[in-house]
Amino acid sequence: MAVHDLDMTRFLAGEDPIEILAVGSCHIDKSIEDLPGSEAFDTATCIVRYPDGVNAMVDVCRQSSYGYDQRAEVLGTKGMIATDNVYPNTAKIYRNDFTGNADMPFDFFLSRYFEAYVTETEAFCKSLVEDSEVPCTGIDGLVALVMSLAADKSAAEGRWVKFNEIIENVYCSSPTECSLLANDEMFPDGFKPSSSIKDLDKIVVPDVDQQKKDGSFIGKVKEMIWQ
């Protein structure tokens, strides 16, 4: 649900992230509560840690009754920069009972990001014609996917998750393969696996839903305290 937003935090931070903490819930459509993993969430919050103490906070929800609401703020030591929603026109109304835009924001992503899609297509075609690199590489997309998988794991287990855990679970079927990835420049340093041969038995993709059946993170803490 938040893969693009997580990708945007990496772009805005200008760094590769370190770890992530996520929590999700269902408030709007209770019929999705039985879906696997994070598919059961319609509302979620993530905190992404970056180097030098930089934190990114992402709040997402599947429903917005007043339009396609996507905003971003970056707070720095010298000030703040913010992006607002895009409206069909710039007209504003000022009355004794209302002050604001005459229209709601665009309610569909193709309407809001029309110019962005055109620019994206032009950049892709330019790279084909000139045989040059595209602005966003396949690794950028892969890193964003790993970030979202780590958020899913964090929400299921109730803890901070480092991104190399995901690489080890998904890409390492043997210590040799982990070693190859660890020495490869494909992934950022914080994403490279660190397992040794001793950890081979731990290289298994966890079943998120089974973990929930076995007991939540808070439930396990209560068992340790009260038993």
Side-chain angles (χ1 to χ4, degrees):
M1 180 167 61
V3 62
H4 298 303
D5 306 277
L6 294 172
D7 187 33
M8 179 61 72
T9 69
R10 182 169 174 253
F11 172 77
L12 294 174
E15 298 272 5
D16 291 313
I18 300 171
E19 57 185 348
I20 191 170
L21 179 66
V23 61
S25 54
C26 181
H27 297 283
I28 301 164
D29 185 2
K30 297 297 183 180
S31 65
I32 70 171
E33 283 187 311
D34 295 329
L35 294 178
S38 60
E39 292 300 315
F41 303 151
D42 57 36
T43 305
T45 299
C46 304
I47 302 176
V48 188
R49 281 181 177 164
Y50 284 89
D52 300 321
V54 175
N55 289 325
M57 298 184 65
V58 176
D59 293 315
V60 290
C61 183
R62 290 189 184 277
Q63 178 172 307
S64 175
S65 60
Y66 52 88
Y68 198 73
D69 183 12
Q70 283 194 317
R71 292 163 287 130
E73 293 182 351
V74 179
L75 283 75
T77 56
K78 296 182 179 179
M80 180 190 77
I81 183 171
T83 63
D84 201 355
N85 287 312
V86 181
Y87 293 82
N89 60 67
T90 58
K92 292 182 180 293
I93 297 175
Y94 297 87
R95 299 191 311 224
N96 62 354
D97 60 346
F98 174 80
T99 297
N101 292 82
D103 292 314
M104 291 194 299
F106 283 117
D107 60 356
F108 189 51
F109 71 94
L110 286 178
S111 300
R112 170 161 186 173
Y113 293 111
F114 176 79
E115 292 183 9
Y117 282 111
V118 171
T119 303
E120 180 183 80
T121 304
E122 288 177 346
F124 179 70
C125 292
K126 184 174 184 291
S127 69
L128 291 178
V129 173
E130 299 180 357
D131 193 23
S132 58
E133 293 186 3
V134 292
C136 297
T137 67
I139 299 303
D140 291 323
L142 185 56
V143 167
L145 175 61
V146 171
M147 292 176 70
S148 65
L149 292 174
D152 191 1
K153 185 178 180 68
S154 173
E157 300 182 5
R159 64 178 179 88
W160 286 94
V161 172
K162 293 186 179 298
F163 302 108
N164 60 1
E165 296 181 42
I166 304 301
I167 302 300
E168 291 175 1
N169 288 337
V170 175
Y171 291 95
C172 296
S173 58
S174 72
T176 303
E177 291 189 18
C178 267
S179 178
L180 289 173
L181 281 174
N183 296 316
D184 197 300
E185 295 301 320
M186 179 172 66
F187 291 106
D189 287 339
F191 287 65
K192 294 179 180 179
S194 58
S195 289
S196 64
I197 294 179
K198 295 179 181 179
D199 298 321
L200 178 60
D201 61 331
K202 300 178 183 178
I203 303 176
V204 179
V205 179
D207 188 325
V208 173
D209 294 310
Q210 186 60 47
Q211 290 179 28
K212 291 180 179 179
K213 292 178 182 178
D214 293 341
S216 65
F217 173 75
I218 298 299
K220 292 178 180 178
V221 172
K222 289 180 179 179
E223 290 177 3
M224 288 187 291
I225 295 174
W226 289 334
Q227 285 186 351

